[in-house]
């Protein structure tokens, strides 16, 4: 029996964000055992906390979907950091954690009760070709001219990020799951009118081993979008993105550029604690 936590991420209200399952003290588990448990939880991600191999890190994290292991993902990073702290983890540097994962070292800072991770470097960026825009438009069931811009946004997951004219247009999307083809991770965003609680609406569409799903709230996607929008002056240095609206969630992602880095933050709620027989 080993400690287990389930954390709701990017929300301050349990059941309104994106849950991640976290297994503690997982050093002796095999990759096969981890993958099997991730399939069993049937959550978008399940993580395993291990001892670090890099002396600069506080802990090591392995991240699994129901079908694959990811080098990095956003909401599992924040949820696992919260679970590690709740179980008595003490970071080497006060107010700042360092996570070791497949993408390298990822810094996580504490801002009161809120956690934020430093957006990892993009592995692939830049505009997608017009032929890809046409495929994305067909998959999203919009006209190619409705897509204001589209860019590669790979930072672990192989995101393609698509900009629409408004949050209303984003919320109106009714995608065709069969039409995404070779683009299994597609994120779409558009601005809300000024003066509201959120500045942008975000949706994430994922093909998970042949099953098309919409992810409730997605840290990696929001990180990549921020790395596009803030340097291009499309978004201010600090803004809030809403996600999960169509899934009856109330995800809020807090973006801030400071000290030359883009930080992706959110509230976290520990909803379940106990032990798991692994």
């Amino acid at each position: 029996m080993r400690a287990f936590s389930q954390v709701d991420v990017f929300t301050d209200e349990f059941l309104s964000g994106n849950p991640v399952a976290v297994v503690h003290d997982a050093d002796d588990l095999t990759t096969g055992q981890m993958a099997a448990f991730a399939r069993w939880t049937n959550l978008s991600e399940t993580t395993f906390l291990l001892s670090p191999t890099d002396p600069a890190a506080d802990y090591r994290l392995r991240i699994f979907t129901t079908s694959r292991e990811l080098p990095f993902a956003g909401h599992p990073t924040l949820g696992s950091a919260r679970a590690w702290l709740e179980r008595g983890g003490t970071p080497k540097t006060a107010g700042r954690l360092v996570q070791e994962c497949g993408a390298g070292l990822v810094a996580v800072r504490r801002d009161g009760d809120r956690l934020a991770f430093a957006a990892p470097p993009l592995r692939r960026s830049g505009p997608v070709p017009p032929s890809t825009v046409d495929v994305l438009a067909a998959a999203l069931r919009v006209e190619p001219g409705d897509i204001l811009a589209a860019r590669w946004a790979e930072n672990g997951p192989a995101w393609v990020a698509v900009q629409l004219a408004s949050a209303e247009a984003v919320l109106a999307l009714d995608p065709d799951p069969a039409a995404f083809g070779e683009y299994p991770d597609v994120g779409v965003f558009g601005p809300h009118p000024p003066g509201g609680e959120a500045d942008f609406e975000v949706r994430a569409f994922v093909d998970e081993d042949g099953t098309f799903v919409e992810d409730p709230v997605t840290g990696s996607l929001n990180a990549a979008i921020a790395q596009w929008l803030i340097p291009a002056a499309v978004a201010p240095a600090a803004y809030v993105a809403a996600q999960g609206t169509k899934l009856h969630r109330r995800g809020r992602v807090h973006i801030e550029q400071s000290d030359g880095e883009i930080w992706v933050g959110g509230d976290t709620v520990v909803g379940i604690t106990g032990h798991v027989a692994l």
Side-chain angles (χ1 to χ4, degrees), residues 3-266:
F4 172 81
S5 308
Q6 194 156 310
V7 185
D8 211 5
V9 183
F10 294 121
T11 183
D12 58 2
E13 181 182 359
F14 184 49
L15 307 180
S16 295
N18 197 1
V20 59
V22 184
V23 177
H24 300 254
D25 303 318
D27 291 274
D28 60 337
L29 292 179
T30 67
T31 296
Q33 288 174 308
M34 294 180 188
F37 186 64
R39 289 192 297 271
W40 182 83
T41 68
N42 203 34
L43 294 175
S44 57
E45 280 96 9
T46 299
T47 67
F48 300 85
L49 287 162
L50 304 97
S51 302
T53 60
D54 189 313
D58 293 296
Y59 54 85
R60 183 161 60 98
L61 193 69
R62 294 184 68 178
I63 305 167
F64 289 79
T65 73
T66 56
S67 65
R68 54 184 165 149
E69 183 172 3
L70 298 176
F72 169 78
H75 97 272
T77 291
L78 296 188
S80 301
R82 174 67 187 275
W84 185 79
L85 290 167
E86 288 287 308
R87 287 283 302 173
T90 301
K92 294 180 172 69
T93 302
R96 186 181 179 95
L97 296 79
V98 177
Q99 170 184 292
E100 179 185 353
C101 60
L105 298 181
V106 177
V108 179
R109 72 180 188 184
R110 301 183 72 175
D111 183 9
D113 289 334
R114 183 173 294 160
L115 298 171
F117 65 84
L122 291 173
R123 297 180 171 194
R124 188 182 188 186
S125 61
V128 304
S131 58
T132 299
V133 172
D134 291 340
V135 172
L136 296 172
L140 296 171
R141 291 190 170 113
V142 299
E143 296 297 323
D146 294 331
I147 295 179
L148 303 186
R151 296 177 68 91
W152 306 115
E154 182 175 344
N155 56 7
W159 294 111
V160 182
V162 175
Q163 180 183 8
L164 298 184
S166 67
E168 182 180 16
V170 172
L171 291 171
L173 291 173
D174 180 22
D176 177 3
F180 282 94
E182 62 181 294
Y183 308 107
D185 301 313
V186 176
V188 188
F189 68 93
H192 279 281
E197 181 183 354
D199 300 286
F200 293 91
E201 188 73 32
V202 176
R203 295 178 71 182
F205 305 108
V206 179
D207 184 337
E208 187 59 60
D209 197 26
T211 301
F212 180 82
V213 298
E214 179 170 353
D215 194 54
V217 203
T218 318
S220 60
L221 173 61
N222 277 280
I225 290 172
Q227 288 167 307
W228 168 9
L229 298 188
I230 293 177
V234 176
Y239 68 86
V240 177
Q243 192 179 346
T245 307
K246 294 289 285 188
L247 301 176
H248 307 289
R249 308 290 178 90
R250 190 180 172 278
R252 295 293 183 269
V253 183
H254 297 261
I255 302 292
E256 181 185 6
Q257 183 182 51
S258 64
D259 302 325
E261 291 189 284
I262 290 176
W263 294 88
V264 181

